[in-house]
Amino acid sequence: QVVISKWGNPSKFEYILFLDSAGKVNWGVDQSVNVVVLPSTATLSAGSVYHVVCWHDAVNNQLGLVVNNGTPDLLAYSAGVDLEPTVPVVIGRNAGNDPADGYYDGQMRRVRFWRRVLTGAEISYLHNGGTGRDYAALDVVVTGPRISMKALGLRYGFRPR
């Protein structure tokens, strides 16, 4: 089930966040040749609310994914990401050719993009012991025609069914 993606036709990918059949969150990015996926070590259960943050850190050459302010899952990654300005960001389904493919079955709230990698303290602040906080304290004004993947952090809360 796709949670959020910037994933177009077979030759135009940027990133994807999805749940696999085992209940794990997966964060994938495209590097022209193939897709690199970082699976979470946490298994999600239907009906529970989760706080998920994922990122691509081009400075430290890594992909990262953290669920409920736990220990981040990290993957060394220095290949960069293909930027696809014509592919839309889609929430709740695969942005590929088949519109019926990959719909998310659950609830989402508070989806937010940053043009930088959040610190551990910021992730902890937003998680707030599981009760969540508004993004207002960390808001960044986004200008320009697209969001750069050079330091993209995604944060959202969701509940799979």
Side-chain angles (χ1 to χ4, degrees), residues 41-98:
T41 53
T43 301
L44 282 54
S45 300
S48 297
V49 176
Y50 294 92
H51 176 257
V52 176
V53 180
C54 54
W55 63 89
H56 168 238
D57 184 344
V59 174
N60 294 308
N61 295 321
Q62 69 181 6
L63 297 177
L65 173 64
V66 62
V67 177
N68 286 345
N69 201 33
T71 302
D73 295 301
L74 301 172
L75 178 67
Y77 181 77
S78 61
V81 175
D82 280 351
L83 298 178
E84 296 294 345
T86 61
V87 177
V89 173
V90 177
I91 298 173
R93 77 166 176 87
N94 190 344
N97 292 334
D98 183 359

Side-chain angles (χ1 to χ4, degrees), residues 112-116 138-144:
R112 180 73 166 107
F113 290 84
W114 279 272
R115 293 173 71 116
R116 63 184 177 83
L138 300 179
D139 273 350
V140 175
V141 176
V142 178
T143 58

Side-chain angles (χ1 to χ4, degrees), residues 92-107:
R93 77 166 176 87
N94 190 344
N97 292 334
D98 183 359
D101 183 34
Y103 278 101
Y104 176 72
D105 183 14
Q107 300 172 345

Side-chain angles (χ1 to χ4, degrees), residues 7-50:
W7 211 253
N9 67 44
S11 65
K12 293 190 180 246
F13 305 126
E14 198 165 319
Y15 58 84
I16 188 167
L17 186 68
F18 65 96
L19 295 175
D20 64 21
S21 59
K24 302 222 181 253
V25 179
N26 292 265
W27 171 232
V29 296
D30 181 44
Q31 63 161 349
S32 295
V33 180
N34 61 10
V35 177
V36 176
V37 175
L38 170 63
S40 70
T41 53
T43 301
L44 282 54
S45 300
S48 297
V49 176
Y50 294 92

